[in-house]
Amino acid sequence: MNTANQFDVAIMGAGIGGSLLATVLSDQGLRVLLLDAATHPRFVIGESTVRHTLRLVKIMAEHYDIEELRHVGSGENIRKYVTSACGEKRNFGFIYHRMGQQHNPAEANQLVIPPFREGYEAHLFRQDIDAYLYQAALHHGTVGMQNTRVSNVDIDGNGVTLTTDKGETLTASYLVDAAGFRSPLSDKFDLRDNPPQARTHSRAIFTHMIDVKDFDELSGNIHGQPEKWYSGTCHHIFDGGWMWIIPFDNHPESTNPLVSVGLQLDSRLYPKPADMTPQEEWDMWMKKLPSVGAQFKDAKIVRPWISTGRIQYTSKKTVGDRWCLLAQASGNIDALFSRGLANTMEAINALIPMILGAVKDNDFRAERFQYLEELQQNNIKHNDLLVWGAYVSFRDYELWNAWFRIWALGVGIGDLRLASIYRRYEKTHDDAILPEKEPPMGLFCSNHPGFKKVFDEGVRVMEQVEAGTLDTKAATKQIMSLIQNASFTSPAVGLADPTKRYINAGTFSSIIKSTVWALTSAPPEMKGMLLGAVRGARHNKETELAMAG
């Protein structure tokens, strides 16, 4: 066989995950093939990042010393080095609505996202980001094949043989399926659970729009929240569903007028109508939610609506001898807490050293990739419980206000841990510090004993609510009690106070008070993470002087 068609690793799917993985593996000296049935640029959702996402990108950029990864590691760097078409993300906003009523400004929550040293989180205009990373992979030596569909896959003890729709035969030692929902390996090996092993049961309609109004201006800035809703990812939530608004035009340097818009609905409460177009269904919901409808009074779609059936899917297994499913190919739950990209980066971070070691040893048994199996299944399981619990909570604002705090607590602990890892690795470059060197973290920090207990107890409360054996008022009280009794969370953040609907742990006052708490009464593991994260944060001069003192 032509040695030009022989590779160490073949990757099916040249999206953000497949291209980033190919970039690193090629940079590390492997011969990598990256195939895709389509071409760049192209419309993709999965546009909202969380701290977990870009923290892991920054860790990988530092670990493997790859400049292109640094370029996509923060909103500021993306604008400087990649594209001006992405938006900025300063917060997660949640605005509660009741059918047929104007929004009550007392029913809203916001989690403010403190900036990195290099700026804020980002709303990724995926066609630009994905194309940039695909080109980065080619620059580092990856062989790319677009408009190429894999028609057959054969895997045996000697390797992987791919046959394309153009009649080409290609071989590799290892195969990564990064093709998302349309995973070829899932079809070949019958890997999908039927039905999906997920409690969440939702469908979606989504598109890109222009001329979407700024909700802050429409509402007259009556909420008093720390950041504008439009400066982050805004979620309009209601009993049985929610809507995302992800603007790409929310900062002065943007050159992109588009706004990503999507509606996700519990398909058991709101089955997909057979007699409506997606536009007609959207218009119906704008009438049901009048405060939201005002935001879209003059909006126009710029691409056809996409309307789905149930979006959840899970897999019986995600690794095998000489192959693995990567992130979105292994399963999907719901976009509510923007976990998709974070799960992808967590999986890639774990997979890279496994592949490098397997190639070095010429040993591609599934046992070597068991960590990835546990990590991905853990992510799917816990994200499902988190999102399912949120859908249950949407029936009552106060119950949501309590569940919001469980999510915020997990976000905070997970980010503290990764921030501390990144800061220490910057200083020492000791690989033992890196996140893949310990048992799978899963959702945020679900192997933290304190958080795991709170989360598991919260799930049990929500199970009773869904079963009708516990009313929402009693459930709210029980979940708030879990938060209030959590000794591992800083009192300065305000999670234990149900009247504090806007959470901002990055203010000067919160940082100083949390630092004092860490030094005087925090559990040891929280002390280490918090002090490490604070020292690595972007501070103003006043904070730096206070910390130095």
Side-chain angles (χ1 to χ4, degrees):
M1 179 178 290
N2 184 355
T3 57
N5 289 344
Q6 296 177 337
F7 299 88
D8 295 310
V9 179
I11 302 172
M12 296 185 295
I16 192 170
S19 293
L20 192 152
L21 176 62
T23 298
V24 178
L25 293 178
S26 294
D27 179 78
Q28 293 296 297
L30 301 193
R31 181 162 168 75
V32 180
L33 171 67
L34 182 58
L35 305 107
D36 201 285
T39 60
H40 293 289
R42 63 199 184 197
F43 172 58
V44 185
I45 61 168
E47 300 149 321
S48 177
T49 66
V50 295
R51 293 302 284 266
H52 210 83
T53 309
L54 296 189
R55 289 276 190 212
L56 284 162
V57 173
K58 289 156 71 72
I59 286 170
M60 287 186 282
E62 190 70 21
H63 184 193
Y64 300 105
D65 192 23
I66 297 177
E67 202 65 16
E68 291 91 343
L69 269 60
R70 293 189 177 96
H71 292 171
V72 295
S74 74
E76 189 172 311
N77 281 354
I78 288 170
R79 292 195 297 276
K80 184 175 180 180
Y81 298 108
V82 182
T83 177
S84 59
C86 292
E88 189 169 73
K89 181 170 181 177
R90 296 181 176 226
N91 70 84
F92 268 96
F94 301 90
I95 303 171
Y96 192 78
H97 300 270
R98 300 170 190 273
M99 298 292 177
Q101 300 180 25
Q102 293 294 324
H103 161 65
N104 177 357
E107 296 181 335
N109 299 85
Q110 188 177 93
L111 180 66
V112 176
I113 305 172
F116 294 118
R117 286 171 294 185
E118 307 89 356
Y120 289 90
E121 286 285 328
H123 291 157
L124 301 181
F125 190 51
R126 285 287 301 275
Q127 69 176 51
D128 285 7
I129 299 298
D130 289 24
Y132 176 80
L133 286 171
Y134 178 74
Q135 294 160 18
L138 301 187
H139 171 70
H140 285 268
T142 295
V143 174
M145 298 177 68
Q146 298 188 83
N147 271 332
T148 303
R149 189 176 299 277
V150 175
S151 57
N152 189 56
V153 179
D154 285 316
I155 302 175
D156 58 28
N158 296 316
V160 179
T161 302
L162 304 175
T163 305
T164 74
D165 56 356
K166 300 172 183 176
E168 297 166 291
T169 300
L170 309 153
T171 64
S173 298
Y174 192 77
L175 178 62
V176 178
D177 186 338
F181 171 72
R182 294 179 177 85
S183 155
L185 289 185
S186 292
D187 291 340
K188 180 176 180 62
F189 296 134
D190 189 27
L191 297 176
R192 294 287 189 243
D193 293 312
N194 188 19
Q197 297 300 298
R199 299 190 190 188
T200 310
H201 208 295
S202 59
R203 63 182 180 90
I205 61 173
F206 53 89
T207 188
H208 281 170
M209 291 185 173
I210 57 172
D211 299 332
V212 176
K213 296 183 183 297
D214 185 332
F215 192 79
D216 300 89
E217 296 178 5
L218 285 173
S219 60
N221 297 316
I222 57 176
H223 296 88
Q225 78 278 10
E227 293 280 354
K228 290 183 62 177
W229 303 115
Y230 206 71
S231 70
T233 304
C234 184
H235 306 73
H236 292 296
I237 59 178
F238 52 90
D239 187 8
W242 65 280
M243 179 192 304
W244 77 70
I245 299 175
I246 302 175
F248 303 117
D249 64 343
N250 64 350
H251 61 88
E253 299 172 47
S254 174
T255 57
N256 186 354
L258 297 180
V259 178
S260 177
V261 174
L263 181 65
Q264 301 218 172
L265 300 163
D266 187 323
S267 49
R268 296 163 299 185
L269 293 176
Y270 305 111
K272 188 175 181 177
D275 58 346
M276 282 187 182
T277 67
Q279 183 66 57
E280 289 171 337
E281 185 177 14
W282 174 265
D283 292 340
M284 177 190 72
W285 279 100
M286 293 303 96
K287 292 176 182 177
K288 288 177 177 286
L289 305 168
S291 296
V292 180
Q295 193 171 5
F296 292 91
K297 180 181 178 183
D298 300 320
K300 297 98 178 171
I301 65 171
V302 299
R303 63 180 70 254
W305 286 101
I306 295 176
S307 178
T308 76
R310 186 182 182 188
I311 60 174
Q312 289 73 44
Y313 56 92
T314 59
S315 299
K316 302 178 185 74
K317 62 178 182 176
T318 70
V319 304
D321 292 341
R322 293 189 180 272
W323 63 266
C324 74
L325 307 181
L326 180 65
Q328 290 296 105
S330 69
N332 181 68
I333 299 301
D334 187 286
L336 179 58
F337 295 111
S338 302
R339 285 294 304 175
L341 285 175
N343 290 349
T344 298
M345 296 309 159
E346 198 166 48
I348 291 172
N349 182 74
L351 179 59
I352 291 168
M354 295 178 193
I355 291 179
L356 294 175
V359 171
K360 179 181 177 182
D361 299 339
N362 193 29
D363 179 1
F364 300 93
R365 291 171 299 142
E367 289 83 355
R368 294 189 67 136
F369 296 83
Q370 186 59 28
Y371 178 97
L372 181 68
E373 172 74 21
E374 294 174 7
L375 176 66
Q376 294 193 135
Q377 298 289 14
N378 201 37
N379 275 335
I380 288 291
K381 174 186 173 183
H382 286 88
N383 194 33
D384 175 46
L385 292 173
L386 179 73
V387 173
W388 161 82
Y391 273 90
V392 174
S393 77
F394 288 166
R395 64 191 66 187
D396 178 88
Y397 171 73
E398 293 303 334
L399 183 57
W400 156 253
N401 186 41
W403 191 253
F404 161 81
R405 291 159 202 281
I406 288 185
W407 164 73
L409 180 57
V411 168
I413 296 174
D415 184 51
L416 283 175
R417 176 178 172 275
L418 285 179
S420 178
I421 287 171
Y422 178 60
R423 184 192 67 80
R424 287 183 289 139
Y425 189 76
E426 272 189 309
K427 289 185 175 182
T428 67
H429 284 83
D430 178 1
D431 287 0
I433 294 170
L434 295 172
E436 73 270 13
K437 300 301 181 183
E438 61 181 68
M441 177 171 57
L443 175 69
F444 309 126
C445 209
S446 60
N447 60 351
H448 180 279
F451 177 67
K452 184 178 187 305
K453 181 179 179 181
V454 168
F455 186 79
D456 290 348
E457 288 294 329
V459 166
R460 280 191 276 274
V461 171
M462 293 310 233
E463 287 172 339
Q464 295 175 64
V465 174
E466 186 174 58
T469 59
L470 188 68
D471 64 40
T472 58
K473 185 176 181 180
T476 300
K477 184 176 180 180
Q478 288 186 31
I479 291 175
M480 286 306 308
S481 178
L482 292 172
I483 300 293
Q484 290 159 356
N485 291 327
S487 63
F488 52 90
T489 182
S490 168
V493 176
L495 289 176
D497 181 358
T499 68
K500 190 167 184 178
R501 296 175 291 114
Y502 306 135
I503 304 299
N504 186 357
T507 65
F508 171 74
S509 175
S510 291
I511 290 173
I512 297 304
K513 290 178 181 178
S514 292
T515 303
V516 172
W517 171 76
L519 291 169
T520 58
S521 55
E525 80 282 0
M526 292 305 300
K527 176 180 178 180
M529 287 195 296
L530 182 57
L531 294 180
V534 167
R535 292 187 185 114
R538 172 182 172 180
H539 307 305
N540 56 34
K541 190 65 176 177
E542 186 179 10
T543 304
E544 290 173 353
L545 290 172
M547 287 298 299

